[in-house]
């Protein structure tokens, strides 16, 4: 057929050129193919074994359930813990600070009357003091942070450090161009716990200006934390902004190894083990958010604008030694290490997971993010005189655990649940499927 169309013999139709253009590559010998297969299987097995070391061992029972799942009659005459609410604010934030105080007074402190310690790096104005004294049911204390606790370490080159901060700001790293923000992160990461103004207390509840509490908190969280042997409590867990702390995980994991600290289940939950086989995995240690072995940090952390915690843990030798090491690197300033990330990695390193409590029954908002439990069915105490000022038009919902919550409990949070699920994994018997883990990035 080809001969009729084009004439000539088949040998002239370009057959040699066809074979030259599409010549098959030489096949590997059977021995080479077998060797490559063995190498691939060995690498896959090594990765499997390595990653298995970071598999979180989940318990057979729930290790961290809500302290209560409905409204309680506040025990106004019960003994209190040695505790205080703590707020860092400035005079110019009076309106935002007042909003927070009014919210927590209406939802909690009007029954329990814990003191509130206000901290400022500048002297307080009379207007701020007068307003807060008139708004708190417990004692209000107004403390000025010592100058040496709110400045650069004395050994740092201040001019060079300020230029580094300016460069971080020009690079668009979140809050990194603000000198005071670096001071604040350093302060809350270490020196805060040893302030003279807090020495008399064992527990603290950190609150921030311009936050909302949505549910009535009718029990004493300090008493319950002590009763259940908890150390740290949180509401929201999110991924950290990666560019703020590229070397933090490396520094903290190095300190962990150098001090031969055992690996907890919570540490395993915090880590994102590498999929690369040895020795390629080690090369990944050159990248940010990696330890010296090439494994990564999941970036998950407890959002520290709300935290209820035992001061004795943070005053302890291990935590303070770790903080002094971090301080010696200077990276609270040459990077923008956040106190939330420092707290979270330290907790995962030094605590068993059951010492951490999720206050999932608290309704709370900071900035755009919120947590909103649904109201507990049959648990709203409609005839309670103590709760007469706490009104909610939100319906009770099956599975709800909130008390007179004023937010829409049809959606318990407005952020992806991946980090929350990951950090709660060592405390829960519930197993998520691969599909559920994938969806948790978005819901």
């Amino acid at each position: 057929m080809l001969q009729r169309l084009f004439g000539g013999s088949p040998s002239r139709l370009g057959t040699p050129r066809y074979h030259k253009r599409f010549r098959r590559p030489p096949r590997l010998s059977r021995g080479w193919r077998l060797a490559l297969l063995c190498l691939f299987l060995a690498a896959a097995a090594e990765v499997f074994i390595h990653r298995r070391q970071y598999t979180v061992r989940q318990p057979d029972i729930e290790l961290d359930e809500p302290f209560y799942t409905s409204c309680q009659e506040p025990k106004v005459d019960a003994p209190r813990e040695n505790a205080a609410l703590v707020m860092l604010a400035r005079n110019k934030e009076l309106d935002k600070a007042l909003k927070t105080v009014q919210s927590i007074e209406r939802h909690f402190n009007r029954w329990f009357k814990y003191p509130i310690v206000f901290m400022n790096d500048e002297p307080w104005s009379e207007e701020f003091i007068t307003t807060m004294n008139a708004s708190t049911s417990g004692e209000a204390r107004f403390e000025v942070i010592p100058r040496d606790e709110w400045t650069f370490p004395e050994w740092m080159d201040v001019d060079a450090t300020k230029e580094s901060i300016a460069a971080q700001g020009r690079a668009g790293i979140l809050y990194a161009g603000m000198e005071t923000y670096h001071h604040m992160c350093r302060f809350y990461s270490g020196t805060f716990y040893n302030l003279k103004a807090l020495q008399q207390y064992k527990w603290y509840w950190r609150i921030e200006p311009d936050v909302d509490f949505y549910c009535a908190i009718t029990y004493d969280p300090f008493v319950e934390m002590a009763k259940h042997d908890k150390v740290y409590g949180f509401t929201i867990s999110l991924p950290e902004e990666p560019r703020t702390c590229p070397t933090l995980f490396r520094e903290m994991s190095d300190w962990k190894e150098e001090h031969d600290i055992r690996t907890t289940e919570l540490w395993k939950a915090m880590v994102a083990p590498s999929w690369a086989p040895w020795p390629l995995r080690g090369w990944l240690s050159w990248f940010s958010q990696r330890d010296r072995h090439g494994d990564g940090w999941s970036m998950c952390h407890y959002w520290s604008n709300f935290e209820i915690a035992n001061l004795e843990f943070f005053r302890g030798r291990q935590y303070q030694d770790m903080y002094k090491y971090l301080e010696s690197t200077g990276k609270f300033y040459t990077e923008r290490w956040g106190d939330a990330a420092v707290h979270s990695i330290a907790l995962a390193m030094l605590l068993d997971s059951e010492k951490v409590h999720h206050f999932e029954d608290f309704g709370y908002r900071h900035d755009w993010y919120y947590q909103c439990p649904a109201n507990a069915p049959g648990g709203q105490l409609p005839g309670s005189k103590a709760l007469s000022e706490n009104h909610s038009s939100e319906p009770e919902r099956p599975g709800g655990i909130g008390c007179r919550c004023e937010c829409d409990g049809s959606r318990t949070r407005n952020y992806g649940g991946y980090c929350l699920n990951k950090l709660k994994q060592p405390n829960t018997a519930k197993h998520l499927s691969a599909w559920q883990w994938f969806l948790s990035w978005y819901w």
Side-chain angles (χ1 to χ4, degrees):
M1 181 68 181
L2 293 174
Q3 189 173 5
R4 285 197 209 102
L5 290 172
F6 299 104
S9 66
S11 61
R12 296 179 182 176
L13 297 179
T15 303
R17 291 196 300 272
Y18 175 87
H19 281 296
K20 285 182 180 180
R21 182 176 297 178
F22 297 100
R23 183 176 298 163
R24 292 180 180 178
R27 294 185 64 185
L28 293 173
S29 67
R30 183 180 178 185
W32 272 107
R33 293 201 304 273
L34 184 60
L36 289 175
L37 177 61
C38 290
L39 182 63
F40 172 80
L41 293 176
E46 194 277 337
V47 169
F48 174 80
I49 293 170
H50 174 74
R51 288 182 58 84
R52 192 172 178 80
Q53 297 174 15
Y54 289 96
T55 299
V56 175
R57 185 174 64 252
Q58 292 186 251
D60 296 326
I61 60 173
E62 296 297 318
L63 299 181
D64 180 46
E65 295 187 299
F67 296 138
Y68 294 94
T69 56
S70 64
C71 295
Q72 307 296 306
E73 284 291 349
K75 298 178 180 179
V76 296
D77 297 322
R80 302 284 184 258
E81 284 293 318
N82 182 16
L85 283 67
V86 178
M87 179 189 287
L88 179 65
R90 284 203 164 104
N91 294 314
K92 64 183 180 182
E93 295 178 297
L94 174 58
D95 291 341
K96 293 180 178 180
L98 180 61
K99 176 182 179 180
T100 296
V101 168
Q102 289 174 336
S103 183
I104 202 164
E105 283 288 332
R106 189 166 72 87
H107 293 97
F108 168 74
N109 211 37
R110 64 190 177 96
W111 300 303
F112 297 95
K113 296 178 170 51
Y114 277 102
I116 303 181
V117 180
F118 296 95
M119 301 178 300
N120 192 348
D121 64 312
E122 302 168 344
W124 290 105
S125 69
E126 284 301 320
E127 181 186 13
F128 194 102
I129 292 173
T130 301
T131 302
M132 291 306 167
N133 274 327
S135 305
T136 56
S137 54
E139 177 190 7
R141 296 178 54 192
F142 303 90
E143 303 290 342
V144 177
I145 300 169
R147 184 61 183 166
D148 58 350
E149 304 289 356
W150 195 271
T151 189
F152 300 102
E154 59 182 14
W155 53 267
M156 292 194 79
D157 183 329
V158 174
D159 291 336
T161 304
K162 287 186 175 184
E163 175 53 37
S164 173
I165 291 171
Q168 293 172 56
R170 291 192 294 270
I173 300 173
L174 187 66
Y175 303 133
M178 302 166 59
E179 182 181 315
T180 56
Y181 201 89
H182 290 263
H183 291 327
M184 183 271 290
C185 291
R186 171 181 174 251
F187 170 73
Y188 264 135
S189 293
T191 58
F192 160 75
Y193 305 103
N194 293 315
L195 281 179
K196 184 178 179 180
L198 299 179
Q199 284 303 304
Q200 69 188 82
Y201 301 114
K202 180 179 178 180
W203 296 89
Y204 76 99
W205 180 342
R206 178 172 163 183
I207 56 178
E208 299 273 327
D210 193 26
V211 304
D212 288 305
F213 291 89
Y214 292 132
C215 306
I217 302 168
T218 54
Y219 64 87
D220 188 333
F222 298 116
V223 169
E224 296 301 324
M225 290 281 283
K227 177 181 175 181
H228 292 86
D229 198 25
K230 301 291 186 178
V231 172
Y232 186 86
F234 73 100
T235 53
I236 293 173
S237 178
L238 297 168
E240 179 61 290
E241 168 59 42
R243 293 199 299 162
T244 63
C245 51
T247 65
L248 176 62
F249 182 67
R250 174 62 179 269
E251 296 289 1
M252 295 187 74
S253 61
D254 282 353
W255 188 88
K256 174 181 179 291
E257 289 196 25
E258 289 166 9
H259 290 79
D260 197 26
I261 295 173
R262 68 185 179 91
T263 297
T264 66
E265 296 304 308
L266 191 52
W267 181 266
K268 293 177 185 178
M270 193 72 71
V271 171
S274 172
W275 285 94
W278 182 89
L280 299 179
R281 185 165 56 248
W283 296 352
L284 297 178
S285 64
W286 290 95
F287 293 91
S288 63
Q289 320 301 348
R290 299 276 173 174
D291 64 16
R292 66 173 66 181
H293 307 291
D295 291 307
W297 172 30
S298 65
M299 305 303 297
C300 294
H301 71 299
Y302 307 113
W303 218 21
S304 63
N305 46 75
F306 173 106
E307 52 187 9
I308 298 177
N310 190 325
L311 283 159
E312 293 180 354
F313 168 78
F314 291 103
R315 291 169 180 155
R317 181 184 58 82
Q318 275 191 316
Y319 183 87
Q320 286 297 314
D321 285 350
M322 182 212 67
Y323 167 72
K324 289 173 183 175
Y325 169 73
L326 297 179
E327 169 86 333
S328 71
T329 68
K331 293 179 182 178
F332 282 108
Y333 294 96
T334 57
E335 296 181 14
R336 206 277 284 154
W337 289 356
D339 54 279
V342 172
H343 292 179
S344 301
I345 299 174
L347 290 163
M349 184 194 307
L350 301 174
L351 279 184
D352 290 324
S353 63
E354 60 266 27
K355 302 290 186 183
V356 178
H357 178 65
H358 178 210
F359 283 100
E360 57 185 300
D361 56 315
F362 283 21
Y364 176 73
R365 179 208 60 82
H366 178 75
D367 285 345
W368 181 76
Y369 298 103
Y370 68 76
Q371 173 178 278
C372 175
N375 283 323
Q380 301 305 301
L381 298 183
S384 172
K385 293 182 179 179
L387 299 179
S388 60
E389 295 182 22
N390 297 87
H391 304 288
S392 174
S393 60
E394 292 298 321
E396 300 173 8
R397 299 177 187 274
I401 59 174
C403 175
R404 302 203 180 187
C405 299
E406 300 151 4
C407 49
D408 181 3
S410 64
R411 187 181 183 189
T412 57
R413 63 178 183 273
N414 65 342
Y415 59 93
Y418 176 80
C419 282
L420 185 63
N421 291 330
K422 191 165 179 60
L423 296 186
K424 291 183 69 171
Q425 192 179 7
N427 284 340
T428 183
K430 300 172 185 175
H431 291 262
L432 298 183
S433 67
W435 177 243
Q436 288 172 314
W437 277 110
F438 173 76
L439 290 180
S440 70
W441 274 109
Y442 308 99
W443 189 256

